Amino acid sequence: MGKIVSSFFISVDGVVESPDQWHFPYWSDEMGAFVQAGMESAAGFLMGRKLYDEWSSYWTTTDTDKEIAEIFNSARKYVVSNSLEKADWAGTTIISGDVAARLRELKEQTDGDLQMSGSATTVRWLLANGLLDELHLLVHPIVVGRGQRLFEDTPAHPLKLIRSEVWPSGVVLTSYAPDTDTAA
């Protein structure tokens, strides 16, 4: 049975929006190894509609990052959307209708992780519906000050720490799973 695993570059003040504007000074070999391991364990990539639109237009046309583009372009991709009618990016399946039921079926049929990077709204929905199995936060030592935060107007969801590391760049990796033993 597969797992849904989400990873975010996140600032100390919880901002996940536009990491391309603040994240790169903190890139390190440790972070690269973590990201690569996630890509290698992926049986597919799960994303929301907005991220799908951004990634499908970028990864299918970029002349840089060709190795990463090849991985994404050849991988299975699943986009959660009740408004997307057609997915032109090769290997993409639209998850719509009873999304929770469809994702439970997908997890049962998948051997490996369904990786997510981004899609904050989708991650909040997955957590609220008991579908998110792991949440990896790569906390960057910067206060961004504005932008979308990962958890805005979100009910409480108890989590348990399953991994933590501090990297020389100052980034702290924290990994969580839902804590079903603790009531919110």
Side-chain angles (χ1 to χ4, degrees):
M1 181 161 162
K3 298 186 301 185
I4 296 178
V5 177
S6 179
S7 300
F8 280 91
F9 297 138
I10 187 168
S11 67
V12 168
D13 58 337
V15 174
V16 294
E17 184 178 353
S18 301
D20 58 306
Q21 302 297 311
W22 48 265
H23 146 77
F24 288 110
Y26 304 100
W27 186 262
S28 65
D29 291 342
E30 295 85 2
M31 191 180 299
F34 177 80
V35 170
Q36 182 175 352
M39 291 177 80
E40 289 173 355
S41 73
F45 294 95
L46 181 64
M47 59 195 79
R49 168 72 186 265
K50 182 178 177 184
L51 187 66
Y52 170 81
D53 288 343
E54 292 171 2
W55 281 18
S56 64
S57 66
Y58 178 78
W59 292 115
T60 58
T61 61
T62 186
D63 289 328
T64 59
D65 300 319
K66 288 187 182 226
E67 289 179 27
I68 296 171
E70 185 177 317
I71 291 168
F72 284 131
N73 289 327
S74 63
R76 290 183 186 168
K77 294 165 286 291
Y78 303 93
V79 59
V80 174
S81 176
N82 280 315
S83 62
L84 185 65
E85 295 179 12
K86 183 180 176 192
D88 293 326
W89 194 6
T92 299
T93 300
I94 300 170
I95 305 291
S96 62
D98 186 348
V99 172
R102 299 244 359 249
L103 287 175
R104 283 186 188 91
E105 291 171 6
L106 181 61
K107 285 173 61 171
E108 287 177 17
Q109 299 166 0
T110 301
D111 184 21
D113 296 341
L114 297 169
Q115 290 282 346
M116 296 185 67
S117 178
S119 297
T121 303
T122 303
V123 167
R124 288 191 293 267
W125 183 88
L126 290 167
L127 190 58
N129 285 278
L131 291 164
L132 185 67
D133 298 294
E134 291 182 16
L135 176 63
H136 304 290
L137 302 176
L138 289 83
V139 183
H140 289 55
I142 185 171
V143 174
V144 175
R146 67 182 139 180
Q148 182 186 32
R149 285 167 169 71
L150 180 54
F151 296 111
E152 297 184 62
D153 299 320
T154 304
H157 296 285
L159 303 171
K160 61 183 171 190
L161 183 67
I162 58 175
R163 176 182 178 184
S164 66
E165 293 179 32
V166 179
W167 295 331
S169 65
V171 172
V172 178
L173 166 65
T174 58
S175 298
Y176 298 95
D179 187 348
T180 55
D181 296 329
T182 303

